[in-house]
Amino acid sequence: MTRMLWTLARFSVIDMMRSRWLWLCLAGVVGVSAVALFAGALAITERHEVMLSAVAALARLVCIAIVMLLSASLLVREIQERTWLLGLAAPMSRSVWILGKWLGLGAVACVSAVLFAIPLMILQPGASTLGWAASLMLEALLVSSLVMAAALAFKQLPATLFASGVFYLAARVIGLVQMLNERAPLENQAAQGLTNGWLEVLGMLLPRLDLFTSTQWLLEPQSWQPNSLGLVAGQAALYCAIVLVVGCIDLTRKDVA
């Protein structure tokens, strides 16, 4: 089984390489660096902080977008062209196929995060930047897991990207929405109670991606602590496991012949 897992993972990475994943990441890193240099040149004061903020925000956004788009494209193409049935025809379970694909896409996600963290390591090397890079790796890994589950469920690229994007956006803003709800409650008590209930449910179901990859760790290195990374690592592990289990159950109950 271990050999099958690594074979599936290796071929997933090869497929991503054929999709120009690495070149796209390198182009994204160059583009992010260029925008950061431009933002720094425009800054009148605190040029270093402006560049850090620009690089951190853009690198996170572009990295997640590339991981989401290429992972969805690869999985949907395999499903629509039915090439994934070649793997399922081998003596392996469907859960092994999912885990092997996840390992390959996870490796791509982690390497992408490392590449996009290089400009920050050049601007400000240190433990906080390493923590930021590790958090981005976990976030990208979680996104690739989510995309896999969405691709298996919808089997269409637009629907997969839409579902993944909505989930990611909701997970990014749920903390802000809860804070705004607490500070500016509705006048109608019934409506406020209903809103509180829905937000509490969403807060329990969604990962707190607003706590991942915080730019504050870079601007104030003393604010970063190892337990900050432990919190996001725990969330990433939990939600990756949940998504993989859901994907296994969804694929097992389907007739893919």
Side-chain angles (χ1 to χ4, degrees), residues 12-56:
S12 297
V13 175
I14 292 174
D15 286 340
M16 293 291 273
M17 295 287 289
R18 290 172 178 171
S19 300
R20 305 294 189 272
W21 151 69
L22 190 57
W23 290 109
L24 188 58
C25 284
L26 292 176
V29 171
V30 172
V32 167
S33 302
V35 171
L37 290 173
F38 179 72
L42 293 180
I44 299 176
T45 61
E46 298 183 342
R47 180 172 180 269
H48 184 70
E49 287 74 10
V50 170
M51 292 178 64
L52 278 177
S53 300
V55 171

Side-chain angles (χ1 to χ4, degrees), residues 60 63-68 71 75 98-114 133-149 164 167-168 207 209 212-213 232-244:
R60 183 183 188 184
C63 177
I64 296 302
I66 289 175
V67 170
M68 187 179 294
S71 298
L75 291 167
I98 288 181
L99 186 56
K101 281 293 178 181
W102 178 79
L103 288 173
L105 296 179
V108 168
C110 291
V111 173
S112 301
V114 170
S135 180
L136 182 60
M137 291 173 62
L138 293 170
E139 185 175 347
L141 185 62
L142 195 157
V143 167
S144 66
S145 306
L146 172 65
V147 169
M148 172 171 282
S164 303
F167 186 95
Y168 179 77
L209 290 182
F212 284 62
T213 325
V232 298
Q235 289 195 59
L238 174 62
Y239 281 91
C240 283
I242 292 174
V243 169
L244 287 175

Side-chain angles (χ1 to χ4, degrees), residues 146 150 154 158-168:
L146 172 65
F154 298 107
T160 299
L161 289 176
F162 179 77
S164 303
V166 168
F167 186 95
Y168 179 77

Side-chain angles (χ1 to χ4, degrees), residues 8 211 229:
L8 286 169
L211 303 178
L229 186 59

